[in-house]
């Protein structure tokens, strides 16, 4: 995904159509961007954050407002639309808040519509570039935890398609691979939307990193048989206590690794960290039952009138998390202390 | 599934086509029966056992052999074909051995081809009828563990379609329901072959028992949120130490229940119990990667040339198993003592 400065359009690959079709979509309309987030054409917490920032950019740049106040109202409206797309990924709100504050500063200092447009565009680009940098730093920090020969289990997709570029958990894997470590990845297929089978396998194949696909239920046997050495996943939201919200099935994977004495790592930029303790603040998005009753809307797999429960995320408690890999270093338990240090909060 | 005495044919419903089509298949050919087991038109450990016994029956009844020795050779050949279908379900070998021994007794006592045919047919029918009886007794024993209002998670299919009739884990659920208990079932979809989504939901809907479908990765959050009270599954093989081989994903479910202080029960007839200790004797069948790379061969979900690992079963260790429900009672830890008592083995 990227922002095209020539046309002032936001451009992305529709991940729902991968690996079958590489379809690029471009728009000037922030409502279309909001729909892309909601319908998961764009997914992955860091990618959602970057996209939301560019959504505000589209709203600002293409607004016909001449007066600064009028423009601020339109940006605020776009903020509301973009914030209402998905409730769990913390990066969404973090990126919207950060871009909004940049607009407010320009409004307060210059009180000029074009200055606000410029500030919003600049902030979105900063978030975009920082995300790539953060991923690479995360990769460097995380790769130290990976030994030559390691067999790594991952869940969902946390690569270029889930970020501005490079990836979080997949970024760590990539970094280790580029260091010359001989590694092998087991990718959970990640039902219901199969981001592992569709996106992670596709990305790893492109890089030439050895990957074997498994169903989500096979991770237990994999660890029990000694066929895997560690797990690394991304995160949609992490609280200061080390509670990790991530794609449904992550908690089951964490249990499988821990039950067999293996490390379970989370890789995420500090923008994923919500500065509160506990898990009560974490809203788990529940999506349409049709995602469970079908495979990608293409094949119905059950009887028509059955109920289905479709939480998009689960929560892994801190006692199962061996470490949280961020761009600023690896946090270890007790997370309330180490995560506060990493994000620069002092008691 | 049943044996048609009028035509001497074995008849079954092709479970691969459920819930879309109810297709009944009938044959006089034991090789066709072996294929039905191998290709999973018929699946579920008790159903596989009963089917194998009737496979030997078809071989005996339709053999042109006049001499007893000749017939015994043909039955032995059929035994080999039927035994080579699937390696994990212990009931397969148990039922073949039992039927073979009945043939041998008739051979030794009467040395007459028709007497052998009669003995094989009779033994297969006994195994069939006993399986239904065992399921009902298992249901009675297991239903005592289910409280009014319980929300029960199950994995794969363990109902009428997996047995001669009634079901193992699903038999327990049925029994509790018919006792008038208000219960609710969460069915794991059970990738890769989706026996939960296709078969368990279909059976429970027919009985009017409330059921909600979930992806396999959602069981962790389900238990963590306090939305489920216990889990009950079937088994393909249980050893005296209480190691339970069952459909891939069972171990992950057991971890999810146990991590949240909930009971995890296994329901299986004693014919599932292999009288050895430990798990080294358990061969885990590995099936075609295509089952993982597609959904039921109907939809490809990943890139063409990726590797996939497709173990059909996993092993749940005894420390995660709250009780083993059999037709003769519920065994509790230490299983080596209680299972020996139940199957009548004395030290």
């Amino acid at each position: 995904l990227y922002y095209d400065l020539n046309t002032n359009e936001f451009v992305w690959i529709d991940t729902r159509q991968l690996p079958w079709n590489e379809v690029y979509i471009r728009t000037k309309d922030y409502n279309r961007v909001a729909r892309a987030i909601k319908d998961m054409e764009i997914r992955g917490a860091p990618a959602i954050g970057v996209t939301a920032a560019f959504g505000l950019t589209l709203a600002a740049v293409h607004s016909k407002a001449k007066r600064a106040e009028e423009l601020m109202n339109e940006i605020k409206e776009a903020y509301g639309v973009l914030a209402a797309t998905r409730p769990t990924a913390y990066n969404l709100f973090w990126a919207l808040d950060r871009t909004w504050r940049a607009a407010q500063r320009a409004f307060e200092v210059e009180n000029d519509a074009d200055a606000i447009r410029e500030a919003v565009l600049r902030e979105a680009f900063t978030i975009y570039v920082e995300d790539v940098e953060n991923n690479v730093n995360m990769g460097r920090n995380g790769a130290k935890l990976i030994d030559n020969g390691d067999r790594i289990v991952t869940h969902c997709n946390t690569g270029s398609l889930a970020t501005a570029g490079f990836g979080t958990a997949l970024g760590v894997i990539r970094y280790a691979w580029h260091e010359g470590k001989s590694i092998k990845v087991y990718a959970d297929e990640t039902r219901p939307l199969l981001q592992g089978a569709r996106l992670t396998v596709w990305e790893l194949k492109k890089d030439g990193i050895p990957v074997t696909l498994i169903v989500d239920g096979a991770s237990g046997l994999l660890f029990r048989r000694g066929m895997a050495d560690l797990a690394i996943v991304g995160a949609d939201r992490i609280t200061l206590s080390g509670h990790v919200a991530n794609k449904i099935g992550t908690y089951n994977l964490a249990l499988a690794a821990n039950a067999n004495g293996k490390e379970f790592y989370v890789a995420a930029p500090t923008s994923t960290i919500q500065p509160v303790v506990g898990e009560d603040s974490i809203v788990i998005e529940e999506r349409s039952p049709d995602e469970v009753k079908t495979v990608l809307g293409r094949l119905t797999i059950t009887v028509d009138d059955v109920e289905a429960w479709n939480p998009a995320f689960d929560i892994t408690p801190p006692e199962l998390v061996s470490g949280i890999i961020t761009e600023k270093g690896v946090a270890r338990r007790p997370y309330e202390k180490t995560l506060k240090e990493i994000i620069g909060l002092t008691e």
Side-chain angles (χ1 to χ4, degrees), chain A:
Chain A
L1 46 86
Y2 65 95
Y3 188 87
D4 184 339
L5 278 169
N6 296 315
T7 59
N8 280 306
E9 288 173 316
F10 187 63
V11 186
W12 67 95
I13 190 164
D14 179 359
T15 64
R16 295 179 316 175
Q17 299 193 49
L18 289 174
W20 303 287
N21 303 305
E22 286 188 40
V23 175
Y24 288 84
I25 299 174
R26 40 174 67 230
T27 189
K28 294 179 163 130
D29 179 5
Y30 73 82
N31 289 291
R32 180 66 187 84
V33 167
R35 183 149 63 80
I37 297 173
K38 199 177 184 96
D39 294 350
M40 297 177 68
E41 294 174 21
I42 300 164
R43 23 66 53 206
I48 289 172
V50 168
T51 299
F54 281 121
L56 288 190
T57 306
L58 292 181
V61 168
H62 296 291
S63 161
K64 299 209 168 65
K66 298 219 170 98
R67 287 177 40 245
E69 265 159 36
E70 197 186 339
L71 181 61
M72 287 302 282
N73 282 335
E74 289 186 26
I75 295 174
K76 192 163 204 172
E77 198 179 316
Y79 182 118
V81 170
L82 290 158
T85 49
R86 301 198 67 196
T88 306
Y90 190 68
N91 316 56
L92 171 63
F93 308 103
W94 170 87
L96 285 171
D97 281 344
R98 188 169 152 179
T99 312
W100 172 249
R101 282 197 308 272
Q104 273 187 314
R105 275 194 306 273
F107 175 59
E108 283 157 18
V109 174
E110 308 200 44
N111 197 4
D112 172 77
D114 281 340
I116 294 169
R117 288 188 178 91
E118 165 95 23
V120 168
L121 177 68
R122 192 181 293 271
E123 193 69 17
F125 262 96
T126 305
I127 290 172
Y128 178 81
V129 172
E130 278 182 9
D131 190 53
V132 179
E133 283 176 359
N134 288 343
N135 285 341
V136 174
N137 288 328
M138 218 180 297
R140 185 182 305 110
N141 294 334
K144 290 175 190 150
L145 306 169
I146 295 181
D147 292 327
N148 194 39
D150 270 352
R151 297 152 304 171
I152 307 162
V153 190
T154 190
H155 191 71
C156 200
N157 173 266
T158 57
S160 296
L161 295 167
T163 60
F166 202 66
T168 57
L170 228 51
V172 172
I173 288 167
R174 283 203 160 108
Y175 203 100
W177 176 256
H178 290 307
E179 285 182 326
K181 286 173 183 159
S182 166
I183 53 174
K184 176 184 169 124
V185 177
Y186 284 98
D188 272 359
E189 66 173 1
T190 317
R191 274 282 285 157
L193 297 182
L194 298 166
Q195 291 92 338
R198 295 189 300 108
L199 310 180
T200 298
V201 164
W202 186 77
E203 287 200 42
L204 289 173
K205 275 276 169 190
K206 283 202 170 189
D207 279 8
I209 302 175
V211 55
T212 297
L213 180 65
I214 60 172
V215 297
D216 302 329
S219 59
L221 182 67
L222 191 77
F223 277 111
R224 197 151 189 282
R225 285 260 156 126
M227 292 169 66
D229 302 294
L230 73 160
I232 312 181
V233 301
D236 289 78
R237 187 183 293 221
I238 301 171
T239 66
L240 289 177
S241 43
H243 286 86
V244 176
N246 192 45
K247 180 54 56 195
I248 192 72
T250 300
Y251 173 44
N252 292 42
L253 175 60
L255 287 169
N258 277 270
N260 293 282
K262 300 298 183 184
E263 310 279 19
F264 176 84
Y265 291 110
V266 174
T270 52
S271 54
T272 313
I273 301 170
Q274 182 182 19
V276 300
V277 168
E279 59 188 291
D280 294 348
S281 66
I282 305 175
V283 176
I284 300 280
E285 176 184 9
E286 295 196 12
R287 296 180 60 85
S288 165
D290 290 340
E291 291 181 353
V292 173
K293 293 168 69 175
T294 72
V295 177
L296 309 169
R298 293 168 188 232
L299 180 68
T300 298
I301 57 165
T302 188
V303 301
D304 281 342
D305 58 345
V306 70
E307 271 184 39
W309 182 54
N310 186 22
F313 305 96
D314 62 22
I315 296 171
T316 299
E319 61 269 23
L320 300 180
V321 180
S322 311
I324 297 174
I325 302 161
T326 76
E327 75 277 13
K328 295 182 181 169
V330 179
R332 302 277 187 176
R333 281 184 294 258
Y335 291 114
E336 199 168 335
K337 179 172 176 290
T338 55
L339 287 179
K340 271 184 185 166
E341 283 167 5
I342 274 181
I343 67 170
L345 268 186
T346 44
E347 310 250 355

